[in-house]
């Protein structure tokens, strides 16, 4: 076992760079086996410069060729596998000088998909966080911002399209079938925002006018056969541009904006300045091959990456500890955009519920586990492991709390001041907070604790009603469990929207600011005992410790005017009953029935309200988790709802049809969601004709949402028609990579079903399938990640077979793609909360992976933290 301690980076150790860069000129001779990279860099003394300090450039997996300074060959340097240190600089480095480096990289061998790599014969880059050092020797850190001029040269037959950041300056035909394109980005940027793309691609393009009247060229580049699937992405991009102008006054600043889609990509997408590179999953969509969820995700991710043009690119991070400065803020912006696109207040509520569900299912467990960290971490070993739901989704919730505290206008004032102060700079989370505070003349000092403390705060609610005095007394007590390096937590500044619900409906919504460990409020002239509706719209990312009677919860579930808390009350009721292994009683079934029959409610809201809490969220409510027991209790509860409401499900299935041409609009998508939930419930209730209904829907569907939902219902419930339809689905869509990902994922996430092959056996068989590729992240996620991370009841088997499969997969993936392997490694990081025998089986699997001497730094950090070593 490798006992060498990994290197840690600490936020408080930050020093400005000794040197910074002015103009950077890059020249690429693109070849899959040996790409020659020539760089010409203007070097300037930096803020921490001292005379005689060497210039240390990062570089990995590069073949060094030559070095020149101010045009002269330079031999005073030291080369290691990680760096190029240049000594004996002109005038001890006191004056600007020019460094010229020639090196070679091998894109076709780059399976990590970081730096410059080849996918399906085309060239792509991914430089965030530290991929640029795999392209050439450089100061690969976000606070070194330079202007780039890039020339790409390649064989025209193989790479007719040559793209880079910024504006196109020139295209030139060269001898022997080569050609070149020169691009210039007028805005300074860090190296992580550099991008190039070259290959056989085609584009859809539009020219629009910005708010100032300037013409902007928008292009989406894809492989030729995918061109017909780009319209929705283009519409989403146009909508994003106009929304950002209207909401925040931020205009597209380049002559053109480009998106490129690639099937081999570690992330969802990347916001490289003016040249966004996307996973095909978040660009390609047409009704026959993409679900409503795909259409919504494309809209959201396209918006997210475009919004980074200002929140991330024009103003970027001083260092990677500040990652949430750009990601949390931009997630908030894309959530607000998507909510506005829903077109109604009920639509906004649906979007809010979906975002909170994601936070609770993924981020709350992270906050309670060994990888817990503040949204601005103080230390890391491998930066790729900090692209987490804490930095993104919890970071977004922290930004949302600014808006809750300051109001929408106050938040906009803070944003305006932030850009006025910091445009073109690399800054910190503190700079953002100060802009918000100064613009609104308020003290946000205590709010900083959200940036520095890990864990999810817990707020205990104590209430008392004095009928004689007509007073309602409310006491809130906040706490936060200890985490690594933080035994004692300071009080948070927690904004809590609340309202007292009475039959008179005469109490307004109020905002309470919980800043002390314990605070009390008294409300006068309350004529009856109210029902407390608190943390409305999920105004703060907290655990709410509130012991409510089932009568009060039923009242909220039936009539709370806050859509989020209405949904929340139903979730609480269901959760309590499932964890107590109870079936829904007549009152709860009645409440469900009334909700389903309520014509004033959005179908999408009904779908969410009748969807039970996820198994993984139920785990978070237990001191000792027995996965099979929770699965069985939840399945029995669902079966009871399905059976008791059988007539309603049948009626809804017929009412929620969407005849005619497919449209991804929110109302149609909500109807399809409720219809397909109804179909699943009819199969759950063992209605004899339900499987035939699902088969008919599968065969006759004119869109992927309905076809895939019908197939899913058949597979999940073990219907006899499942195998035939699965085979048909594969044959229909064998040429559609993203659809085949769905085919793999559906089988990998199937829960245990009597008289059906064990899911693990299915997954092992799928790994041997001719269409499975271990070097394609999407395919790995659709099979291995889907089983280990999205199929709790199938994965957590008492014999430990799922954990053995996990260990085999992590060890197989790590040499190919450490980032993807590290994300898979997270599947067991909370092993200590599980009951026996699961706990011992998990620990044994973790120790087997830890014993590998050649683990990447990415995986080793996750495993060592999980084991507490």
């Amino acid at each position: 076992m490798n006992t060498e301690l990994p290197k840690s980076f600490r936020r408080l150790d930050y020093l400005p760079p000794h040197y910074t860069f002015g103009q950077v000129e890059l020249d690429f001779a693109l070849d899959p086996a040996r790409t020659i990279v020539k760089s010409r860099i203007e070097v300037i003394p930096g803020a921490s410069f001292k005379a005689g300090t060497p210039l240390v450039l990062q570089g990995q997996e590069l073949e060094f060729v030559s070095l020149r300074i101010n045009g002269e060959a330079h031999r005073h340097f030291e080369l290691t596998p990680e760096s190029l240190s240049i000594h004996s600089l002109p005038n001890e480095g006191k004056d600007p000088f020019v460094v010229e480096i020639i090196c070679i990289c091998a894109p076709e061998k780059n399976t990590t998909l970081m730096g410059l790599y080849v996918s399906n014969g085309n060239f792509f880059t991914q430089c965030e966080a530290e991929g640029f050092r795999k392209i050439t020797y450089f100061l690969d850190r976000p606070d070194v911002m330079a202007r780039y001029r890039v020339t790409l040269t390649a064989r025209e037959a193989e790479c007719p399209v040559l793209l880079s950041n910024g504006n196109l300056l020139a295209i030139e035909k060269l001898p022997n079938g080569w050609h070149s394109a020169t691009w210039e980005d007028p805005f300074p940027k860090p190296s992580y925002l550099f991008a190039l793309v070259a290959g056989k691609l085609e584009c859809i393009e539009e020219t629009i006018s910005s708010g100032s009247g300037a013409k902007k060229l928008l292009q989406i580049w894809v492989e030729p056969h995918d061109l017909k699937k780009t319209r929705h992405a283009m519409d989403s991009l146009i909508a994003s541009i106009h929304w950002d102008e209207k909401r925040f006054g931020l205009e597209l600043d380049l002559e053109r904006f480009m998106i490129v889609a690639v099937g081999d990509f570690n992330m969802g997408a990347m916001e490289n300045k003016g040249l966004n590179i996307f996973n095909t999953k978040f660009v390609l969509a047409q009704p026959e091959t993409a679900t409503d969820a795909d259409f919504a995700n494309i809209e959201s991710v396209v918006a997210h990456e475009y919004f980074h043009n200002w929140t991330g690119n024009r103003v970027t991070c001083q260092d990677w500890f500040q990652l949430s400065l750009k990601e949390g803020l931009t997630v908030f912006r894309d959530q607000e955009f998507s909510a506005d696109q829903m077109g109604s207040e009920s639509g906004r509520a649906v979007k809010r519920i979906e975002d909170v569900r994601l936070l609770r299912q993924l981020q709350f467990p992270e906050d309670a586990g060994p990888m817990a960290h503040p949204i601005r971490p103080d230390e890391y070993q491998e930066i790729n492991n900090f692209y987490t739901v804490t930095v993104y989704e919890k970071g977004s919730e922290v930004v949302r709390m600014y808006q809750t505290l300051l109001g929408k206008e106050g938040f906009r004032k803070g944003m305006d001041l932030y850009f006025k102060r910091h445009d073109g700079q690399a800054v910190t989370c503190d700079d953002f907070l100060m802009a918000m505070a100064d613009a609104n003349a308020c003290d946000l000092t205590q709010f900083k604790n959200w940036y520095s403390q890990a864990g999810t705060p817990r707020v205990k609610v104590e209430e008392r009603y004095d009928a004689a005095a007509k007073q309602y007394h409310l006491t809130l007590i906040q706490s936060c469990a200890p985490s690594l390096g933080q035994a004692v937590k300071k009080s948070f500044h927690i904004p809590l929207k609340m309202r007292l619900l009475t039959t008179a409906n005469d109490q307004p919504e109020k905002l309470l600011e919980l800043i002390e460990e314990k605070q009390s409020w008294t409300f006068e002239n309350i004529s009856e005992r109210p029902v407390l509706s608190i943390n409305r719209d999920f105004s703060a990312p907290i655990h709410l410790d509130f012991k409510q009677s089932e009568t009060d919860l039923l009242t909220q579930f039936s009539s709370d005017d806050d859509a989020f808390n209405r949904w929340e009350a139903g979730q609480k009721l269901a959760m309590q009953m499932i964890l107590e292994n109870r079936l829904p009683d007549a009152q709860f079934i009645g409440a469900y029935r009334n909700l389903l029959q309520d014509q004033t409610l959005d179908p999408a809201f009904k779908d969410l309200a009748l969807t039970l809490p996820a198994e993984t969220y139920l785990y978070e409510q237990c001191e000792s988790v027995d996965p099979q027991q929770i699965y069985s209790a939840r399945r029995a509860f669902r079966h009871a709802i399905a059976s008791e409401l059988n007539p309603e499900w049948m009626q809804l299935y017929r009412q929620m049809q969407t005849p005619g041409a497919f449209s991804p609009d929110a109302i149609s998508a909500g109807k399809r969601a409720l219809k397909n939930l109804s179909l699943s419930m009819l199969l759950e209730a063992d209605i004899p004709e339900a499987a035939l209904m699902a088969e008919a829907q599968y065969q006759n569907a004119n869109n992927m949402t309905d076809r895939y939902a019908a197939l899913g219902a058949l597979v999940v419930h073990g219907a006899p028609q499942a195998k035939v339809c699965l085979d048909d689905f594969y044959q229909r869509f064998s040429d559609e990579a993203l659809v085949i990902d769905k085919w793999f994922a559906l089988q990998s996430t199937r829960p245990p079903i009597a008289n059906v092959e064990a899911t693990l056996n299915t997954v092992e068989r799928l790994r041997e399938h001719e269409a499975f590729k271990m070097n394609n992240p999407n395919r790995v996620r659709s099979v291995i990640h889907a089983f280990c991370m999205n199929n709790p009841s199938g994965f957590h088997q008492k014999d430990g077979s799922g954990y053995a499969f996990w260990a085999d997969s992590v060890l197989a993936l790590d040499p190919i793609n450490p980032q993807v392997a590290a994300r898979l490694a997270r599947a067991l990081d909370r092993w200590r909360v599980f009951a026996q025998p699961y706990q011992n089986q998990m620990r044994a699997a973790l120790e087997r992976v830890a014993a590998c001497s050649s683990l990447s730094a990415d995986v080793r950090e996750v495993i060592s933290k999980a084991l507490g070593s």
Side-chain angles (χ1 to χ4, degrees):
M1 178 176 174
N2 185 0
T3 58
E4 181 182 348
L5 292 176
K7 180 180 179 181
S8 289
F9 300 88
R10 296 176 176 82
R11 182 173 62 86
L12 296 180
D13 292 340
Y14 170 80
L15 285 175
H18 297 306
Y19 295 94
T20 189
F21 294 164
Q23 182 71 25
V24 173
E25 296 180 9
L26 299 172
D27 190 316
F28 290 82
L30 294 168
D31 180 270
R34 288 175 61 81
T35 288
I36 300 172
V37 184
K38 299 178 181 179
S39 63
R40 186 182 186 276
I41 306 168
E42 180 188 7
V43 184
I44 305 165
S48 64
F49 171 77
K50 292 181 181 179
T53 302
L55 173 62
V56 181
L57 306 178
Q58 292 81 40
Q60 293 178 358
E61 300 173 22
L62 299 174
E63 179 184 335
F64 175 82
V65 177
S66 68
L67 168 66
R68 299 174 72 87
I69 295 183
N70 290 339
E72 300 291 333
H74 193 81
R75 295 178 176 81
H76 302 285
F77 62 87
E78 179 184 356
L79 198 61
T80 75
E82 300 288 331
S83 66
L84 171 63
S85 300
I86 307 174
H87 303 273
S88 301
L89 298 171
N91 196 22
E92 297 184 293
K94 297 174 185 176
D95 301 319
F97 57 94
V98 174
V99 171
E100 295 175 84
I101 300 170
I102 300 177
C103 63
I104 297 171
C105 60
E108 68 181 7
K109 295 182 179 178
N110 185 3
T111 64
T112 68
L113 309 185
M114 290 292 291
L116 178 64
Y117 66 94
V118 173
S119 172
N120 199 24
N122 299 320
F123 292 87
F124 300 91
T125 54
Q126 170 57 32
C127 294
E128 187 178 3
E130 296 176 340
F132 193 80
R133 63 191 62 187
K134 290 189 169 189
I135 296 174
T136 188
Y137 295 97
F138 209 77
L139 280 176
D140 191 10
R141 47 188 287 172
D143 56 352
V144 175
M145 301 178 71
R147 287 181 170 83
Y148 287 69
R149 184 184 179 106
V150 179
T151 299
L152 307 177
T153 306
R155 298 174 184 87
E156 187 170 9
E158 297 173 8
C159 295
V161 174
L162 301 172
L163 308 176
S164 192
N165 309 84
N167 300 318
L168 179 62
L169 297 184
I171 298 174
E172 185 179 358
K173 294 278 188 180
L174 300 173
N176 301 318
W178 286 65
H179 71 145
S180 71
T182 300
W183 295 79
E184 185 172 62
D185 189 344
F187 297 98
K189 65 173 180 284
S191 57
Y192 83 85
L193 291 173
F194 169 81
L196 74 79
V197 171
K200 296 177 180 177
L201 303 169
E202 293 183 6
C203 75
I204 178 178
E205 62 181 34
E206 294 274 347
T207 300
I208 65 169
S209 296
S210 66
S212 65
K215 298 296 183 183
K216 306 292 183 180
L217 176 63
L218 311 179
Q219 296 177 321
I220 298 180
W221 293 88
V222 295
E223 293 187 16
H225 62 273
D226 287 327
L227 198 61
K228 61 183 180 294
K229 304 171 191 171
T230 56
R231 185 68 248 173
H232 180 67
M234 177 62 81
D235 291 342
S236 300
L237 176 59
I238 294 171
S240 304
I241 292 171
H242 293 323
W243 183 90
D244 215 18
E245 289 181 347
K246 181 179 179 181
R247 177 73 182 269
F248 291 108
L250 301 173
E251 188 171 309
L252 174 58
D253 53 2
L254 291 169
E255 296 172 2
R256 70 173 70 197
F257 189 90
M258 299 173 284
I259 289 174
V260 181
V262 55
D264 294 307
F265 203 68
N266 285 342
M267 302 180 179
M270 177 58 206
E271 71 267 20
N272 318 295
K273 181 70 177 177
L275 179 58
N276 289 185
I277 300 180
F278 274 60
N279 191 313
T280 50
K281 180 178 174 65
F282 297 108
V283 171
L284 306 181
Q286 58 183 0
E288 297 79 12
T289 58
T291 64
D292 286 323
D294 294 326
F295 278 93
N297 287 336
I298 289 168
E299 178 184 83
S300 175
V301 176
V302 167
H304 181 96
E305 305 308 330
Y306 173 73
F307 296 153
H308 265 313
N309 188 54
W310 282 90
T311 51
N313 296 4
R314 286 286 289 259
V315 184
T316 195
C317 304
Q318 171 189 275
D319 53 58
W320 290 120
F321 296 100
Q322 318 297 329
L323 182 59
S324 198
L325 173 75
K326 72 182 184 79
E327 295 300 349
L329 175 55
T330 305
V331 170
F332 168 74
R333 277 156 48 73
D334 82 54
Q335 289 175 348
E336 285 289 280
F337 165 77
S338 294
D340 283 347
Q341 296 302 105
M342 299 292 283
S344 67
E345 283 305 309
S346 61
R348 286 188 65 89
V350 167
K351 172 61 178 166
R352 185 69 183 128
I353 291 167
E354 290 173 345
D355 292 337
V356 174
R357 285 174 64 195
L358 177 69
L359 182 83
R360 286 175 165 173
Q361 291 173 28
L362 299 180
Q363 196 280 321
F364 277 19
E366 183 168 272
D367 246 351
M371 292 292 288
H373 56 278
I375 65 168
R376 182 185 60 190
D378 290 321
E379 183 176 345
Y380 66 81
Q381 295 171 15
E382 174 50 60
I383 184 55
N384 291 323
N385 287 336
F386 276 92
Y387 283 76
T388 62
V389 283
T390 295
V391 165
Y392 282 68
E393 271 67 32
K394 186 176 180 179
S396 170
E397 294 298 321
V398 170
V399 173
R400 185 176 296 276
M401 285 190 288
Y402 283 111
Q403 181 168 277
T404 301
L405 288 165
L406 304 174
K408 201 169 181 178
E409 289 186 9
F411 184 79
R412 170 65 189 269
K413 286 166 60 180
M415 289 285 283
D416 289 347
L417 182 58
Y418 176 63
F419 292 119
K420 181 179 179 180
R421 284 179 175 176
H422 302 299
D423 187 14
Q425 298 177 16
V427 300
T428 69
C429 295
D430 288 336
D431 292 318
F432 182 78
L433 182 143
M434 287 309 301
M436 287 289 161
D438 292 349
N440 291 278
C442 63
D443 184 359
L444 292 173
T445 303
Q446 188 174 343
F447 195 80
K448 286 185 180 182
N449 293 339
W450 284 103
Y451 287 94
S452 59
Q453 297 184 152
T456 305
R458 184 173 293 276
V459 175
K460 183 178 181 181
V461 178
E462 295 178 351
E463 58 177 347
R464 180 172 61 85
Y465 177 64
D466 186 333
K470 295 184 179 180
Q471 291 179 332
Y472 175 81
H473 302 277
L474 175 64
T475 297
L476 302 177
I477 305 166
Q478 66 164 298
S479 61
C480 191
S483 56
L484 185 65
Q486 295 182 337
V488 179
K489 305 290 176 69
K490 298 177 182 178
S491 293
F492 291 86
H493 186 168
I494 304 175
L496 293 165
K497 294 179 183 178
M498 59 82 66
R499 186 183 180 200
L500 299 178
L501 306 180
T502 64
T503 54
N505 198 29
D506 58 352
Q507 298 301 310
E509 181 177 272
K510 296 184 177 181
L511 178 66
L512 305 181
E513 295 186 39
L514 177 60
I515 56 176
E516 306 293 339
E517 181 180 341
K518 182 177 182 179
Q519 282 177 251
S520 297
W521 293 264
T522 297
F523 299 84
E524 305 285 352
N525 300 315
I526 309 299
S527 58
E528 63 184 84
R529 189 189 75 82
V531 173
L532 174 63
S533 174
I534 192 167
N535 205 25
R536 291 159 67 86
D537 199 39
F538 201 69
S539 55
I542 61 169
H543 290 294
L544 196 61
D545 186 1
F546 186 15
K547 305 298 182 185
Q548 290 177 280
S549 68
E550 292 189 0
T551 300
D552 282 358
L553 286 172
L554 279 168
T555 297
Q556 282 191 266
F557 187 51
S558 301
S559 59
D560 198 322
D561 65 314
D562 181 76
F564 176 84
N565 270 8
R566 184 173 185 179
W567 169 82
E568 174 84 315
Q571 296 290 292
K572 285 183 177 179
L573 276 168
M575 183 171 64
Q576 288 175 192
M577 293 180 178
I578 291 169
L579 292 177
E580 293 170 7
N581 205 17
R582 289 193 285 147
L583 296 179
D585 58 25
Q587 283 185 303
F588 199 12
I589 290 293
Y592 273 145
R593 180 175 288 112
N594 291 338
L595 183 140
L596 287 176
Q597 294 175 342
D598 188 338
Q599 298 300 311
T600 68
L601 293 177
D602 191 293
F605 178 80
K606 293 181 182 182
D607 171 60
L608 289 173
L610 272 294
T611 299
L612 298 179
E615 289 169 64
T616 51
Y617 184 60
L618 293 171
Y619 292 176
E620 296 306 304
Q621 319 309 315
C622 304
E623 292 185 7
S624 180
V625 177
D626 186 325
Q628 295 303 322
Q629 186 179 65
I630 288 175
Y631 167 71
S632 297
R634 184 180 182 277
R635 187 70 186 263
F637 192 92
R638 190 173 191 270
H639 184 79
I641 296 171
S643 300
E644 293 290 336
L645 297 174
N646 174 20
E648 286 75 16
W649 296 123
M650 187 66 77
Q651 183 180 28
L652 281 170
Y653 182 75
R654 292 167 179 154
Q655 289 178 343
M656 293 296 118
Q657 299 294 326
T658 51
F662 172 86
S663 170
D665 67 273
I667 293 174
S668 299
K671 287 183 176 181
R672 281 189 290 272
L674 185 55
K675 174 190 68 180
N676 289 322
L677 174 65
S678 301
L679 180 63
S680 178
M681 284 297 199
L682 290 170
L683 270 87
E684 180 71 60
D686 301 319
I687 304 302
E689 65 267 33
L692 295 175
M693 293 165 59
E695 183 183 26
Q697 177 173 310
Y698 170 82
Q699 296 292 352
N700 299 325
N702 70 346
N703 63 83
M704 179 54 70
T705 301
D706 285 343
R707 192 184 305 278
Y708 190 64
L711 179 63
L714 292 170
V715 171
V716 166
H717 295 95
Q721 297 90 336
K723 186 180 186 310
V724 172
C725 290
L726 274 171
D727 291 343
D728 176 77
F729 190 87
Y730 186 83
Q731 294 302 320
R732 282 178 188 250
F733 301 105
S734 58
D735 293 332
E736 298 283 352
L738 295 176
V739 180
I740 297 305
D741 286 338
K742 298 180 190 298
W743 182 81
F744 277 115
L746 177 57
Q747 296 173 80
S748 299
T749 54
R750 174 179 55 77
I753 307 172
N755 303 320
V756 176
E757 178 185 40
T759 309
L760 178 56
N761 293 342
T762 300
V763 171
E764 288 175 330
R765 184 164 42 79
L766 291 174
R767 266 194 59 173
E768 303 304 317
H769 194 279
E770 62 180 4
F772 179 83
K773 296 178 181 179
M774 190 68 96
N775 62 355
N776 177 258
N778 284 357
R779 201 50 47 93
V780 170
R781 285 188 282 261
S782 70
V783 177
I784 300 173
H785 286 66
F787 174 68
C788 297
M789 307 187 82
N790 300 325
N791 187 354
S793 56
F795 179 57
H796 293 292
Q797 295 295 313
K798 290 185 177 181
D799 64 1
S801 55
Y803 311 142
F805 172 81
W806 166 87
D808 292 340
S809 299
V810 170
L811 292 171
L813 271 170
D814 194 34
I816 300 170
N817 192 323
Q819 278 193 42
V820 176
R823 291 187 178 95
L824 178 62
R826 297 289 303 275
L828 297 193
D829 63 7
R830 299 209 60 209
W831 61 277
R832 285 183 171 86
V833 304
F834 286 80
Q836 297 294 5
Y838 307 99
Q839 187 179 118
N840 285 346
Q841 301 276 16
M842 288 176 164
R843 179 170 185 167
L846 283 162
E847 289 174 341
R848 181 155 76 88
V849 174
C852 176
S853 61
S854 58
L855 281 183
S856 67
D858 306 64
V859 172
R860 186 162 297 284
E861 179 178 18
V862 173
I863 299 298
S864 63
K865 286 186 174 179
L867 288 170
S869 56

